[in-house]
Amino acid sequence: MKDIQIKKLISAEKKRQKKVINLIASENYVSKDVLEALGSELTNKYAEGYSRFRYYGGNENVDKIEDLCKARALKLFGLKPEKWHVNVQSLSGSPANTAVYLALVPPIVREGRLVQQKIMGMSLDQGGHLTHGHKVSATGKFWIQVPYGVDKDTEVLDYANLKEIALREKPAIIVSGYTAYPRIIDWKKMREIADACGAILMVDMSHIAGLVAGRAYLSPFEYADVVTTTVHKTLRGPRAALIFVRSDKKDASGKLLDWHKKIDKAVFPGLQGGPHVNQIAAVAVALKEASTPAFRRYAAQINKNAKVLADGLANMGWKVISGGTDSHLILIDTWMSGQKNSKGAGAVPGKIASDKLEKMGIIVNKNAIPFDTRPPTDPSGIRLGTAAETTRGKREKDFKIIAKKIDEILREAQSYPV
Ligand code: DSN
């Protein structure tokens, strides 16, 4: 590379990534093949439109790449093309979720007034995502969020309470799948709740997509109407998103709803112009990698490692939200309302916890815990994930050591005034 400044910075970042223990739950390390596709000549190509319906010439190779990517996406999750459609053009998770709302529950102008529809989504501070209707996101400005959360005592979903909210508020769409929820989600119950109030059921499986692909987490496809996912978390692909949607759904009169056509239109030309073709090729590569037996072993190992990390920290006195994990993700209350427990662990605000860990080479993110009393800029906890370090070959014995290191660093941090 001739640009020395950027070359040096890329090389510094490469070194940083190698040196640290990366426990960011939403990050991973892609293969050389994924990087090669991302850095290919495909980045030069404009391809507005979809396969065989493009607004630019010269797309004979691009059409094949997009078709292959779509076929691999459906195959990986065991979906029949007569029942499911997939859009592979969304640039990332937030635009993908916005495209779903725009397509299926759009704001309507009635008698000159904007009528906003309701998205029932988990609150950000309970583990939801900004695009599940939070007020600072466009999804909370053009739609009305009906928030829900976890049970205060168990810190897991209370489906009876969710049903009550749904029946009272009658949302147009219910979003399940979260960014800071470590436990199994009962998709069947979510389907029952959506049916009870006549809502569309959307699952945002961004965090767990790799686990679903690797059969290490229950698949939502049997129950959901729409499934969105980013590709760059447990699925270990490039930064990108996929939208899966049922194409065979009919209305009460038996007419096809054509949700897939609406979704495609919402992505392009609704929200974006030309797709990033290099990214689509890299997604295709990652999807092929995720269909191998080696990836299944990887997904199983992510879960095993997460359990060891959660148990290790719990045994050393740290409060693990919900008491454990069924995925790659762990939420730790480092603050415990300012108290230390009988094992002397606690009373480290999330920001200090994250900063101190980073100084010692362990990268995490500070995170709100359910019913947090501290501000989002310095919440009560940290979020950990095992996907990235599992890619680098770490096993249970390594995560026992990592738990011990985290405990040591946080205990030292307890002695700093807050
Ligand atoms: N930022 C992602 C995460 O860390 O979960 C979600 O967008």
Side-chain angles (χ1 to χ4, degrees):
M1 186 186 283
K2 290 196 196 81
D3 185 330
I4 300 301
Q5 275 176 300
I6 290 296
K7 188 176 175 165
K8 272 192 181 157
L9 288 168
I10 292 175
S11 148
E13 174 58 15
K14 242 167 120 173
K15 274 194 200 131
R16 187 200 68 80
Q17 289 188 12
K18 277 212 172 115
K19 190 171 78 188
V20 298
I21 293 173
N22 182 5
L23 300 181
I24 302 265
S26 45
E27 291 184 6
N28 213 326
Y29 296 104
V30 298
S31 67
K32 284 216 160 60
D33 287 1
V34 168
L35 285 180
E36 199 175 314
L38 275 177
S40 68
E41 289 70 12
L42 294 168
T43 198
N44 300 332
K45 189 69 198 102
Y46 244 116
E48 279 182 6
Y50 290 98
S51 265
R52 291 168 291 286
F53 302 98
R54 306 278 184 191
Y55 290 83
Y56 294 75
N59 275 303
E60 66 267 29
N61 301 313
V62 170
D63 280 1
K64 286 181 191 148
I65 288 170
E66 186 165 352
D67 290 347
L68 188 56
C69 185
K70 289 165 81 166
R72 285 182 180 175
L74 293 176
K75 190 165 173 222
L76 179 64
F77 293 102
L79 307 176
K80 293 203 169 84
E82 343 41 288
K83 278 192 161 186
W84 284 90
H85 170 81
V86 61
N87 183 300
V88 299
Q89 291 198 3
S90 258
L91 303 180
S92 206
S94 295
N97 286 351
T98 310
V100 173
Y101 308 142
L102 266 182
L104 306 187
V105 292
I108 306 159
V109 178
R110 205 173 281 147
E111 291 163 11
R113 292 189 54 205
L114 188 71
V115 180
Q116 294 168 287
Q117 303 209 57
K118 289 182 181 174
I119 297 172
M120 182 165 153
M122 188 185 268
S123 313
L124 188 68
D125 59 348
Q126 299 261 318
H129 188 253
L130 285 167
T131 58
H132 298 175
H134 192 276
K135 64 177 188 293
V136 300
S137 143
T139 63
K141 298 187 195 302
F142 297 105
W143 289 270
I144 298 165
Q145 189 195 40
V146 174
Y148 66 91
V150 295
D151 178 79
K152 203 160 188 170
D153 298 322
T154 61
E155 296 166 335
V156 298
L157 290 166
D158 171 355
Y159 297 96
N161 176 248
L162 259 61
K163 191 169 179 181
E164 257 177 61
I165 299 173
L167 288 174
R168 186 178 64 236
E169 298 286 344
K170 302 212 173 359
I173 190 164
I174 297 180
V175 185
S176 185
Y178 316 105
T179 64
Y181 186 75
R183 309 316 299 245
I184 277 286
I185 301 163
D186 190 333
W187 307 121
K188 188 166 182 259
K189 286 210 174 113
M190 293 306 301
R191 176 77 257 169
E192 284 162 13
I193 294 165
D195 286 344
C197 68
I200 293 169
L201 179 61
M202 163 174 161
V203 171
D204 176 348
M205 65 164 188
S206 292
H207 264 273
I208 50 169
L211 303 179
V212 173
R215 311 286 191 273
Y217 195 101
L218 206 63
S219 169
F221 284 99
E222 193 183 335
Y223 301 103
D225 297 310
V226 193
V227 178
T228 60
T229 183
T230 48
V231 185
H232 46 275
K233 298 184 174 84
T234 50
L235 196 48
R236 208 162 62 181
R239 305 193 74 87
L242 307 172
I243 305 173
F244 297 90
V245 59
R246 288 286 298 264
S247 52
D248 61 343
K249 283 263 182 169
K250 296 180 178 155
D251 67 13
S253 70
K255 194 170 152 264
L256 275 174
L257 288 163
D258 282 342
W259 280 343
H260 56 299
K261 292 185 184 162
K262 292 180 180 170
I263 297 261
D264 278 355
K265 276 190 190 152
V267 173
F268 169 82
L271 283 171
Q272 63 190 53
H276 297 182
V277 183
N278 55 325
Q279 193 187 36
I280 293 173
V283 171
V285 172
L287 293 172
K288 189 170 183 198
E289 290 172 355
S291 68
T292 58
F295 195 89
R296 275 200 196 184
R297 289 195 292 278
Y298 164 66
Q301 190 65 47
I302 291 177
N303 280 0
K304 286 185 205 160
N305 289 347
K307 281 195 183 9
V308 166
L309 184 57
D311 289 351
L313 288 166
N315 291 338
M316 287 180 262
W318 297 96
K319 181 171 187 260
V320 178
I321 297 297
S322 81
T325 180
D326 302 316
S327 63
H328 64 305
L329 192 148
I330 301 149
L331 206 54
I332 305 286
D333 179 351
T334 53
W335 177 244
M336 297 175 189
S337 308
Q339 302 298 312
K340 290 179 196 172
N341 69 8
S342 58
K343 290 193 175 170
V348 188
K351 183 173 182 330
I352 292 187
S354 156
D355 289 352
K356 295 286 172 197
L357 288 166
E358 180 163 359
K359 267 205 179 120
M360 301 306 288
I362 299 179
I363 313 296
V364 305
N365 68 278
K366 55 180 180 280
N367 214 99
I369 57 165
F371 309 99
D372 211 327
T373 49
R374 299 181 57 85
T377 45
D378 187 9
S380 297
I382 53 174
R383 187 184 66 163
L384 315 174
T386 54
E389 289 302 323
T390 305
T391 293
R392 299 168 97 187
K394 292 208 171 53
R395 298 288 176 264
E396 290 96 319
K397 64 175 178 9
D398 306 299
F399 276 92
K400 276 188 189 152
I401 297 169
I402 292 173
K404 208 153 172 284
K405 269 194 190 161
I406 292 175
D407 176 61
E408 279 164 19
I409 296 163
L410 293 185
R411 275 176 200 275
E412 217 205 298
Q414 286 177 162
S415 54
Y416 290 84
V418 292

